[in-house]
């Protein structure tokens, strides 16, 4: 019986051809990878954004365009690659001059910043839905979700928890104003992804929450982790405002911050420190890779978390 | 003011970067083309299919899956290329075991037939919407919409007009039964596209109707055409059943047959005849490329057509 996204994936993997010569990575990572030559590959990702799960009515069209593309670019960043080409299939209910222009301006902000080329697309009339496809290339190594080694440091870029906190604090106008930019306009970590690509052992972007995404990294790497909650970097408003339970929810279950979570050998600490300075972005050690089992520790005390993963079809 | 699809395209082309090194073809053909090496390129297309404009409630989930992929493959065929890799972003209202399985079986029929690999995708909950992205490679030359030469023969593969005739005759159960397979399950002309790729001068798939698609070929080639209506091949049910006006509508304005329309030098007539035999598919000369202006002739008499192009946003 097909009841959720995982069942669809399992059905596809059992019944449909998902591998062939030159397909280095198929379904199951942030991007698919096609080998072009010994050192050159293409990475490809597609994501759809919808009113409801991905953006709400209080997003401006500019923010909708920006975020839809940012989340796709984040998948390329998580593979340690450089985004290059872009296709978009959009469905919009009606053509409003102001909406269209603002929407494409949001997209264009990222196209300009990352020197992308929009090479194709399709436009239809119907319920708002935006699908991007981004094609990137590797500079050095490609990062996958698997590859973590025992005793690796576990890092996150930037600060996390703000996207969920924005939702939790949406009625507090002042706090929401500070936090909503993290929810509406996340920064895809392209430069850092490229810079760590030859020193990180595995990488994912935190779209489904640290707990679920770290779980994916560790289960694909067949490893465990000790996570030090007190070290997880967040915005001071998140720390000061939320109750203990909501704070943990924002930090660990939140997602949608689109920061990178990766692991790297202890010997790379200095290199990563300089990258953090170079890109003016915190890159923080939040844990250690262990043999098995993921443990969350708060100043040395083990915390029992009761987390649900996100599934579009769960009730 | 942005009022239709062409306005969106014009806005994009004016404001957004659509060209760069290695992008041989961007927005404006059946596929985008990225150069990999001297003789090797990738062709890429994306199309969204929606309930309403692309399929209706009397399509089975099998047919929906099949047709959505077929229309994308047809774009690769129109470039004279071989489809290889596939991504799909689908949004479905609810998970029904039977629906999902039947839908993927329809997709899998074409995946198996054309030896494709499904390498990625995204699944969401919402109003039914299916976006495929297909990546192909060239064997020989890549076909574009421009390139027609004066005195070239104009060809169509297969027979056309059945898709529109199916809609026009949807209340006639017997006739509809004969015609609906052409509307619901078009055949992407991959093998023929590949086979003609070094002898055709330009090519398009007939998705928007012969008139609109031929107009595109000729305006991009800066040429005209004489089209001989009596030579356009169609199904005998279309010919026998429809009134004169509806017959012309089906044949010339119809679209959705996803046959190829291409031009080739007169010297290739014998080669194309043998391809027709080899692939057991009619490949018929329906006209000649001229210096300018597109004329429709019916047994020598000029016909004045009053055609509207299809636009998702026109009323």
């Amino acid at each position: 019986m097909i009841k959720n996204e995982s069942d669809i994936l399992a059905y596809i993997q059992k019944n449909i051809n998902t591998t062939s010569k030159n397909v280095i990575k198929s379904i199951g990572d942030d991007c698919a990878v096609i080998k072009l030559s010994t050192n050159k590959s293409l990475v490809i990702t597609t994501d759809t954004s919808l009113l409801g799960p991905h953006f709400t009515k209080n997003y401006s069209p500019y923010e909708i365009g920006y975020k839809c593309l940012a989340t796709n670019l984040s998948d390329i960043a998580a593979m340690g690659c450089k985004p290059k080409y872009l296709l978009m299939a959009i469905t919009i209910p009606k053509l409003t001059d102001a909406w269209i222009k603002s929407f494409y301006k949001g997209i264009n902000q990222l196209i300009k910043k990352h020197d992308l080329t929009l090479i194709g697309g399709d436009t239809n009339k119907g319920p708002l839905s935006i699908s991007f496809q981004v094609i990137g290339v590797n500079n050095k190594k490609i990062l996958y979700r698997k590859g973590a080694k025992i005793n690796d440091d576990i890092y996150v870029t930037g600060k996390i928890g703000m996207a969920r906190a924005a939702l939790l604090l949406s009625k507090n106008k002042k706090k929401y104003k500070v936090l909503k930019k993290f929810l509406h306009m996340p920064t895809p970590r392209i430069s850092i992804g490229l810079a760590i690509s030859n020193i990180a052992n595995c990488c994912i972007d935190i779209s489904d929450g640290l707990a679920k995404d770290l779980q994916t990294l560790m289960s694909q790497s067949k490893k465990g982790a000790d996570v030090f909650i007190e070290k997880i970097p967040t915005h001071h408003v998140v720390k000061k405002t939320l109750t203990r339970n909501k704070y943990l929810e924002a930090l660990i279950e939140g997602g949608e911050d689109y920061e990178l979570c990766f692991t790297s050998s202890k010997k790379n600490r200095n290199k990563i420190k300089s990258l953090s300075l170079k890109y003016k972005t915190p890159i923080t050690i939040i844990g250690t890779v262990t043999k098995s089992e993921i443990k969350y520790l708060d100043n040395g005390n083990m915390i029992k978390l009761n987390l649900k993963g996100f599934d579009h079809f769960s009730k």
Side-chain angles (χ1 to χ4, degrees), chain A residues 9-260:
Chain A
L9 206 64
Y11 179 84
I12 288 174
Q13 286 175 321
K14 197 177 163 191
N15 293 284
I16 294 179
N17 176 37
T18 57
T19 54
S20 65
K21 196 189 147 211
N22 297 333
V23 174
I24 298 180
K25 191 81 206 180
S26 186
I27 286 167
D29 218 300
D30 282 298
C31 297
V33 182
I34 298 173
K35 186 178 169 177
L36 297 180
S37 62
T38 319
N39 300 315
K40 230 41 196 163
S41 293
L42 288 180
V43 291
I44 309 167
T45 183
T46 184
D47 266 313
T48 300
S49 298
L50 300 169
L51 184 67
H54 305 101
F55 53 85
T56 50
K57 290 203 167 142
N58 62 349
Y59 279 62
S60 69
Y62 185 93
E63 289 170 336
I64 294 174
Y66 175 97
K67 186 173 180 180
C68 296
L69 180 51
T71 56
N72 275 280
L73 294 179
S74 180
D75 282 327
I76 304 277
M79 307 294 284
C81 292
K82 185 173 168 46
K84 297 269 286 179
Y85 311 111
L86 183 65
L87 294 96
M88 55 188 297
I90 64 166
T91 302
I92 36 183
K94 58 175 181 171
L95 284 182
T96 318
D97 205 56
W99 195 97
I100 290 286
K101 286 182 182 169
S102 169
F103 171 73
Y104 279 105
K105 274 183 191 150
I107 290 166
N108 211 16
Q109 181 180 336
L110 287 166
I111 287 183
K112 283 181 176 169
K113 182 174 176 187
H114 299 290
D115 195 18
L116 305 174
T117 312
L118 178 66
I119 58 170
D122 186 30
T123 310
N124 285 286
K125 187 180 176 179
L128 190 56
S129 166
I130 300 131
S131 289
F132 275 104
Q133 301 82 45
V134 184
I135 300 174
V137 293
N138 64 313
N139 267 7
K140 307 170 200 161
K141 210 177 72 176
I142 294 179
L143 295 175
Y144 296 97
R145 289 174 174 178
K146 78 172 185 185
K149 292 181 172 47
I150 290 174
N151 288 326
D152 270 5
D153 292 317
I154 301 169
Y155 289 87
V156 294
T157 61
K159 294 176 179 180
I160 67 172
M162 291 84 83
R164 175 65 65 96
L167 292 173
L168 292 169
L169 294 169
S170 61
K171 281 172 189 153
N172 182 330
K173 273 192 184 171
K174 214 174 131 191
K175 305 255 153 87
Y176 181 67
K177 207 186 156 189
V178 176
L179 294 173
K180 87 163 194 180
K181 66 177 176 211
F182 299 101
L183 177 65
H184 290 207
M185 297 189 67
T187 303
R189 297 296 185 190
I190 304 291
S191 308
I192 296 178
L194 279 164
I196 61 167
S197 66
N198 58 349
I199 50 175
N201 289 326
C202 64
C203 189
I204 196 168
D205 70 328
I206 306 176
S207 54
D208 291 340
L210 179 64
K212 196 178 173 193
D213 291 320
L214 188 66
Q215 162 89 53
T216 301
L217 278 188
M218 293 308 131
S219 71
Q220 293 213 12
S221 301
K222 297 197 172 75
K223 296 289 177 295
D226 286 349
V227 183
F228 314 122
I229 294 176
E230 76 279 5
K231 294 197 176 161
I232 302 174
T234 189
H235 195 282
H236 61 91
V237 168
V238 178
K239 202 155 196 168
K240 276 187 192 156
T241 316
L242 294 172
T243 62
R244 170 81 183 158
N245 276 348
K246 294 289 177 196
Y247 175 69
L248 288 178
E249 180 187 330
L251 216 58
I252 294 166
E253 199 176 2
E256 290 221 70
D257 289 302
Y258 296 95
E259 294 294 346
L260 301 182

Side-chain angles (χ1 to χ4, degrees), chain A residues 254-277:
Chain A
E256 290 221 70
D257 289 302
Y258 296 95
E259 294 294 346
L260 301 182
C261 176
F262 65 95
T263 82
S264 186
S265 162
K266 286 191 173 25
K267 69 171 194 242
N268 294 319
R269 283 186 179 180
N270 282 337
K271 279 187 199 163
I272 292 171
K273 243 181 220 165
S274 5
L275 291 177
S276 170
L277 288 170

